[in-house]
Amino acid sequence: IGGLWKISRPTVWFLIASAVFRDGLTGVFTYGGVLAKVAFGFSAGDVIIFAIAANVVAGVSTVLVGRLDDVLGPKRVMVGALVGAVVAGACVFVFHMGGATIFWIFGLLMCVFVGPAQSASRSFLARVIPAGHEGEVFGLYQTTGRAATFLAPVLFTVFVSLFGKSIYGVIGIVIVLAVGLALLIPIKEHATALK
């Protein structure tokens, strides 16, 4: 990491940013079922149906938005997807009194943004890796992703504990996504070495 910092700081910053927002994206699926059942009153069967729908929506959106990656570039796709996920997550919380319908709409909308953000993340990484460091950096990408896996669970738990209702855990997930987005925005695409 020290050596990489000397030759390509944008790569290191992206590894940090992606570790944070990827944990938030993972939290969308990890806690989606919990929120559906506890906060929105889904039955066990409804949770399974929602999980299937969420994965289908995420998969289809990844394929469709993948074309935008080629046209607009992966950073714009990631930023757009993360902004969308943050807004959809905020809507889940703000409008939760609307019940299951709100979760179906905005919960699935969050899932629309998960796949594109994850796939664009890998595409972007390929553009900020210094030549000859591909294997090393992709290994670090996996490692940093695992190193940050505590963020969403901790913040989800903290907000649920503070306010005593599971719906407040959404705020924790949204914060992780927003912090990852904030870390991502300053990183320049195609900047593979210090100038």
Side-chain angles (χ1 to χ4, degrees), residues 58-73:
V60 170
S61 67
T62 302
V63 172
L64 295 178
V65 177
R67 298 179 183 203
L68 289 178
D69 189 309
D70 297 329
V71 176
L72 301 175

Side-chain angles (χ1 to χ4, degrees), residues 41-120:
F42 280 35
S43 67
D46 289 339
V47 170
I48 292 171
I49 292 168
F50 182 84
I52 293 169
N55 279 285
V56 169
V57 164
V60 170
S61 67
T62 302
V63 172
L64 295 178
V65 177
R67 298 179 183 203
L68 289 178
D69 189 309
D70 297 329
V71 176
L72 301 175
K75 183 176 178 183
R76 288 181 181 169
V77 171
M78 277 187 297
V79 169
L82 291 172
V83 168
V86 166
V87 170
C91 288
V92 168
F93 177 75
V94 171
F95 302 116
H96 73 273
M97 296 302 289
T101 302
I102 290 298
F103 192 72
W104 272 106
I105 293 169
F106 293 110
L108 286 181
L109 188 58
M110 282 187 86
C111 296
V112 165
F113 300 114
V114 171
Q118 289 177 331
S119 64

